[in-house]
Amino acid sequence: MDTKMIARGIMLSLLVMFCLVTLCPAVCPGGTIAESAEKPAVVRLWNWNIHDKKYQQSMYNLFNKRHKDIKIEYSSISNTVYDQTLEAAFAAKEPPDIFLPSGRLTFEYLRSKGWIMPLNDCAPSERELKDWMDKFPPHLYKFIEGISVFNGKVYVVDTKGESGAPGFPLYYNKTLFKLAGIGSPPSTYSELRRAAAKITQAGQGKYFGIVHGLRYIKGVWHQDIAGSLARAAGIDGVGGPDWGPDARDGKYHHASPEHINALKVWIGMREDGSVHPGEMTMDDEQAKMAFANNKAAMFFGGDWVVGNVLAYNPDCDFDLVLAPTPDDGIRRDFYHIGPGGQFGYVVSSFTKNPRAVWEVIKFICSLEYQEGYVKGGYGISYLPEANKPENFKIPQLYRFVQWANDPALRRFAPIARPNTRRVVEEFMPGIYPTYHDVMEAVYLGKAGFEALKDLDDRCNAALDAGIKRAQESGIKVTRDDFCFPDWVRGKDYEPTLRALGLLKK
């Protein structure tokens, strides 16, 4: 035999042996975790969390110390670049093992592409998976077929507890309210504007009535208008295509009087000089920092803001109330209860370590982790035993639990059919200028309110185009799937009660 051929054969054999030894995945075909303590199975976990980043780091370090065969590599990526970073990771076929969907990579998109795997393929047995699922209280509706479960396969790790509120609440700085001589937070639009002006006047340039950061505008107008003031007025179908159309008629309503009146409140506060200066150059985190450090008296945000504020200033004296209503004092929105479970961690189908990922999931869902999460003031857990009142050392965070369990604020809304979210998230063409672009232009006086009517026309046309694209791809969906004309806001929607087995006979 030719010596060159022999040499090639030896080299090929060595290469194969090298690949088998060095590139063997940490989880063997049978699914067991690699036993080598020198080369533990790596689980890359990604999210955009800021407020609980230190807590997560400490808990994952604890996990790594306990598990010599598994190593969590945690990345907290700023939400300003998270979407692009996640897309780039999938394009390179090197996505994280467990992560939060975002941007174009929505849950439905990822599932339709086969890029995420069901938890059934991570858990060592169906029995263990069921035991894990049984820890979630039934009233949270985390595991509903067509929402987070498909053909009996579970896809999402949703640990969020019952922390509902009618939209984003208003945070107010009690120190600055006292300095301005204001005894209680505003409850109506006019009171909000007057309070902002009075506090600004008292501050004499040292502090201001209200703050928001528009440098990265994604999400800010959702907090300031669509999810707070406009929602308190009872309007849906605003917030751009991200939030979808009004469930009652399947249309967008940015040009509605309710939405325009809510925007006018912010325009008025800006004209009064009540908005913290530099709003166009500061981002959302800088705005929260200004609030926490007694530079601004009010701010709209969700439950995560509690942790943000205390991280920036542990001594900040603040509280929160539901978003102010129109001047008639009537609150027309509610905490809409429905199946949860479609927002949370998912597992990449590219993972080489499904059993190791399962151990990480169990740890995140454990009472130890969840109780520490609540006690630290980072959020509300899915576990009732973690949500004991005594665990909430921060009373502001417990407000969300109280609102969620207040029958006067809770309503069961229609359940969107599975394919409707896919139309909005996957098939609707891009809308430019975006909702946030238009809101900023009107707010700054660069465009009139007619721009909102144009936005509605473009959103509705894009929805029609999205439905057509979805139909062409084989998805059965029509305009009617977006409409629930028999739904009366303020009342429980009977078909939802029936679907959840709650309709009283």
Side-chain angles (χ1 to χ4, degrees), residues 311-504:
Y312 293 131
N313 180 11
D315 298 321
C316 182
D317 187 13
F318 72 101
D319 210 335
L320 52 156
V321 292
L322 296 179
T325 68
D327 287 348
D328 61 11
I330 300 175
R331 185 170 303 283
R332 295 176 174 83
D333 191 45
F334 301 89
Y335 165 39
H336 294 149
I337 309 170
Q342 208 176 71
F343 179 78
Y345 287 111
V346 293
V347 179
S348 166
S349 56
F350 293 85
T351 185
K352 298 179 177 66
N353 306 309
R355 292 291 181 269
V357 169
W358 178 251
E359 293 302 315
V360 174
I361 289 172
K362 288 197 299 181
F363 179 69
I364 293 172
C365 297
S366 68
L367 178 59
E368 176 187 25
Y369 185 101
Q370 292 293 313
E371 193 167 49
Y373 184 76
V374 173
K375 287 182 176 179
Y378 303 111
I380 293 101
S381 171
Y382 78 98
L383 286 171
E385 52 267 46
N387 288 334
K388 294 176 181 177
E390 58 268 27
N391 286 343
F392 286 89
K393 298 178 181 178
I394 304 170
Q396 296 94 329
L397 191 59
Y398 195 60
R399 297 273 186 279
F400 291 92
V401 179
Q402 293 172 312
W403 286 330
N405 290 283
D406 184 347
L409 298 175
R410 296 161 51 104
R411 296 293 185 275
F412 285 88
I415 301 174
R417 297 171 181 89
N419 288 334
T420 61
R421 288 308 309 172
R422 290 195 64 186
V423 169
V424 174
E425 295 169 349
E426 296 179 38
F427 296 98
M428 278 182 69
I431 298 172
Y432 304 99
T434 67
Y435 166 72
H436 297 285
D437 293 332
V438 174
M439 292 294 286
E440 181 181 291
V442 177
Y443 175 64
L444 297 177
K446 296 179 180 180
F449 291 114
E450 65 275 5
L452 297 172
K453 176 61 169 63
D454 176 66
L455 177 62
D456 283 335
D457 293 340
R458 289 187 289 115
C459 284
N460 288 321
L463 181 59
D464 287 332
I467 292 172
K468 184 177 179 181
R469 288 180 179 180
Q471 291 171 338
E472 290 171 348
S473 73
I475 296 175
K476 295 180 180 179
V477 61
T478 68
R479 261 281 184 176
D480 291 341
D481 291 319
F482 291 84
C483 303
F484 300 86
D486 55 337
W487 178 36
V488 178
R489 290 182 66 90
K491 293 185 178 181
D492 291 331
Y493 189 58
E494 285 195 4
T496 298
L497 296 177
R498 190 176 300 112
L500 298 176
L502 299 174
L503 190 63
K504 297 179 180 179

Side-chain angles (χ1 to χ4, degrees), residues 77-99:
I77 302 169
S78 170
N79 59 11
T80 59
V81 296
Y82 183 87
D83 297 359
Q84 303 94 307
T85 306
L86 186 61
E87 285 194 35
F90 269 96
K93 292 184 170 53
E94 293 184 356
D97 298 278
I98 179 170
F99 63 96

